Amino acid sequence: MNQNLNNIPWEERPAGCTDVMWRFSRNPIINRYQIPTSNSIFNSAVVPFGDGFAGVFRCDNKAVQMNIFAGFSADGVNWEINHEPIVFKAGNTGMIDSDYKYDPRVAFIGDRYWITWCNGYHGPTIGIGYTFDFKEFYQCENAFLPFNRNGVLFPEKINGKYAMLSRPSDNGHTPFGDIWLSYSPDMKFWGEHRHVMSPAPFDQSAWQCTKVGAGSVPILTDEGWLMFFHGVINTCNGFRYSMGAVLLDREDPSHVLYRTKPYLLAPAAPYELAGDVPNVVFPCAALTDGDRVAVYYGAADTTVCMAFGHLSEIIEFIKHNSL
């Protein structure tokens, strides 16, 4: 099924606001107890589907077991999330073991919706699966050895190959992290690993000085691939996650053209400052409609929220405020 061209969720910039991006006045759009078993719902991915939208949601249950669930919405704001997690069938492999699944992303490529997530297999690695209808799901080989997180696919092949961003890490709450790019001819074997970007020097852009990770599926623009990413600083109160954006070269996305020195969105609203993990803005999806963009992000590892902006303004901001 092809992606639709429905209008994305949207709210105009509030009067008096001069920020490049602004929060939805109805945040959070998904609360932590939206399904009976959930302790929290956050860091989730949304795509156009049929006459509305579909999503893959991270729902931690009340035992704090991490799993991913499918959901549907007519307008991208009001969601019906399945009460049971996704059950995968064997795709290009019979090995579909998983201790946990979290932080999904979804990209429509070719004739199907590809899902990536942090998959527990002797530590965190990048799980890959696909669906045609968000009802039946097929799991493929893990992309990489542990330890890795934040696997984000490009929405089209680059030089005839699938391309994925990721962040090699360790087994815990990693106090480091660079973004890398890898290629695959078949969504099973991955290689040609290329470095993309490192954390920024503390004295230049401290909000992203500890680690960085890919966020939304990149958006192809006339200026290159636009991707929202998260940056982290380790403060005296723990990690603080904020959102920035980067422009990558269209033909060689390992080449960074411009990268925001200031953040676009940082924890400031009550639902971002307080939650299971305070001080977190974590983008996982972006919908576009002409010049408009709606970004879905996890807030304080507890709820799902939205922010809006204009692509042209964001691109100009990146170019004029670049590291």
Side-chain angles (χ1 to χ4, degrees):
M1 178 181 293
N2 292 327
Q3 290 177 289
N4 68 16
L5 297 176
N6 288 357
N7 290 333
I8 64 172
W10 183 253
E11 186 173 74
E12 294 293 341
R13 180 187 274 113
C17 175
T18 59
D19 295 329
V20 181
M21 299 193 72
W22 56 95
R23 294 169 177 81
F24 192 19
S25 63
R26 292 166 56 186
N27 279 346
I29 63 165
I30 298 174
N31 70 64
R32 66 185 307 164
Y33 301 127
Q34 186 126 341
I35 62 175
T37 58
S38 63
N39 165 77
S40 49
I41 304 175
F42 59 105
N43 296 4
S44 303
V46 171
V47 290
F49 177 75
D51 294 327
F53 303 89
V56 178
F57 296 86
R58 173 176 177 173
C59 303
D60 293 4
N61 66 18
K62 290 181 174 65
V64 195
Q65 293 173 294
M66 305 163 190
N67 217 325
I68 55 177
F69 294 62
F72 300 90
S73 173
D75 60 8
V77 176
N78 299 286
W79 287 89
E80 294 291 332
I81 299 174
N82 294 345
H83 291 186
E84 297 296 328
I86 292 169
V87 176
F88 284 90
K89 302 177 182 179
N92 65 15
T93 178
M95 199 294 292
I96 59 173
D97 297 350
S98 182
D99 296 324
Y100 48 78
K101 298 181 178 75
Y102 63 81
D103 295 358
R105 276 76 159 184
V106 179
F108 183 80
I109 310 172
D111 63 348
R112 68 196 68 186
Y113 298 86
W114 288 94
I115 306 158
T116 54
W117 65 89
C118 184
N119 192 48
Y121 181 70
H122 300 275
T125 184
I126 306 301
I128 304 177
Y130 63 87
T131 183
F132 297 97
D133 56 9
F134 289 90
K135 295 179 180 177
E136 290 188 314
F137 294 83
Y138 299 86
Q139 187 168 339
C140 300
E141 282 285 340
N142 292 324
F144 310 116
L145 292 167
F147 307 113
N148 205 315
R149 293 178 173 87
N150 298 304
V152 178
L153 289 165
F154 283 79
E156 62 181 57
K157 291 183 179 180
I158 296 174
N159 299 320
K161 299 172 185 175
Y162 297 102
M164 189 196 306
L165 298 163
S166 69
R167 189 184 73 201
S169 60
D170 63 19
N171 200 31
H173 289 282
T174 316
F176 63 88
D178 292 18
I179 297 175
W180 288 72
L181 175 68
S182 303
Y183 290 98
S184 172
D186 56 6
M187 282 289 197
K188 186 171 186 178
F189 298 100
W190 292 85
E192 299 180 82
H193 311 296
R194 301 290 184 268
H195 183 265
V196 179
M197 57 190 262
S198 297
F202 176 85
D203 61 344
Q204 294 185 29
S205 186
W207 69 269
Q208 54 180 320
C209 70
T210 299
K211 53 184 173 178
V212 289
S216 64
V217 170
I219 301 162
L220 185 58
T221 75
D222 292 339
E223 301 282 351
W225 291 104
L226 169 66
M227 184 196 64
F228 298 98
F229 70 94
H230 65 263
V232 183
I233 180 174
N234 192 10
T235 74
C236 58
N237 197 38
F239 289 148
R240 179 178 185 259
Y241 285 72
S242 304
M243 182 176 75
V246 61
L247 280 170
L248 305 174
D249 184 80
R250 178 172 184 163
E251 301 300 327
D252 178 10
S254 69
H255 180 208
V256 174
L257 302 176
Y258 302 96
R259 168 184 174 183
T260 49
K261 185 175 181 178
Y263 56 71
L264 290 171
L265 200 72
Y271 47 81
E272 299 158 357
L273 296 172
D276 282 359
V277 181
N279 303 316
V280 175
V281 167
F282 192 95
C284 278
L287 301 176
T288 59
D289 177 9
D291 190 47
R292 305 186 303 177
V293 62
V295 175
Y296 291 80
Y297 66 93
D301 280 16
T302 305
T303 60
V304 176
C305 298
M306 296 185 70
F308 305 107
H310 294 283
L311 290 174
S312 57
E313 293 181 6
I314 294 168
I315 289 169
E316 286 304 304
F317 182 84
I318 301 170
K319 291 170 68 174
H320 288 97
N321 297 274
S322 182
L323 281 174

